[in-house]
Every structure is written in structure tokens, then in C-alpha cells.
Amino acid sequence: MRSHRPWYFQGILAVINLLLGFALAYWALHDDNSDYVRQRLSQVTSENIELQKKLIASQRELQVELATSNNLAKTLTAQQDENIKLKEELVFYKKITKR
């Protein structure tokens, strides 16, 4: 089916729709709330930076605690091994003194 409108009429409608779209986009992006949005963006950005600093501090504290825990575990293992050896020696000396 062919349209009964001339080709230039459809072209004019396309240009009008295009200009209307640009006007709506300009109005949406350059609204009065843009100052509020910019202010809120800077506030959220500063909060994000503060939270990142806290996260880094917490991660460092966790690393220190893990290192301390590992050192304590190694010390405990060494003490337990020494305790076992001393008990074995004690049993050995008790057997010697009973004879």
C-alpha cells in the first residue's frame, strides 16, 4: 500500500519528531534539579571515600590479627611438642628410678 502523502511531508514529520526528541532530552538533562544532583553526587562521593578508608583500615587490622593468630598457633604447637617430649622424659626417668 502506498501512502497518499507526498514524500516531503513525511520528511518534515521526521524532522519535527527529531527536534521534539532533542528538546525533551535537553529539558530533562538541564533541569533545575541538576544542582541538587551535583551536590548529592559530591556528597555520595565523599562518603564513598570515607568508607573506602575505613575498609582499608579494617583490612589492615584483620591482617594484623591473622598474623598474630598464626604466630600464636605456631607457639602453641611448639609448646605442645615440648610438653610431650618432657612427659616422655619424665616417664623414662620414673622407669629408671623404679628399678
Side-chain angles (χ1 to χ4, degrees):
M1 293 182 96
R2 289 189 59 170
S3 173
H4 295 289
R5 293 184 205 116
W7 65 269
Y8 57 86
F9 183 71
Q10 291 178 350
I12 291 172
L13 280 177
V15 169
I16 290 173
N17 284 333
L18 186 67
L19 291 175
L20 183 63
F22 278 124
L24 286 173
Y26 181 81
W27 176 72
L29 293 176
H30 292 87
D31 194 11
D32 289 337
N33 287 336
S34 63
D35 291 334
Y36 170 74
V37 170
R38 287 187 187 107
Q39 182 183 13
R40 183 74 178 131
L41 177 63
S42 66
Q43 180 184 6
V44 169
T45 303
S46 65
E47 288 175 6
N48 188 19
I49 291 170
E50 288 178 27
L51 289 173
Q52 285 178 346
K53 289 178 183 178
K54 288 180 182 179
L55 176 65
I56 290 170
S58 296
Q59 287 176 341
R60 288 181 182 164
E61 184 178 335
L62 179 62
Q63 288 175 349
V64 168
E65 288 177 3
L66 286 174
T68 304
S69 176
N70 288 338
N71 288 339
L72 286 174
K74 288 178 185 178
T75 304
L76 179 63
T77 304
Q79 292 296 321
Q80 287 175 343
D81 290 343
E82 185 179 348
N83 191 16
I84 290 170
K85 287 179 186 178
L86 289 174
K87 284 181 181 180
E88 289 173 357
E89 288 179 9
L90 181 62
V91 169
F92 175 73
Y93 288 126
K94 280 185 179 180
K95 285 183 183 178
I96 291 178
T97 56
K98 284 184 181 180
R99 291 186 184 178

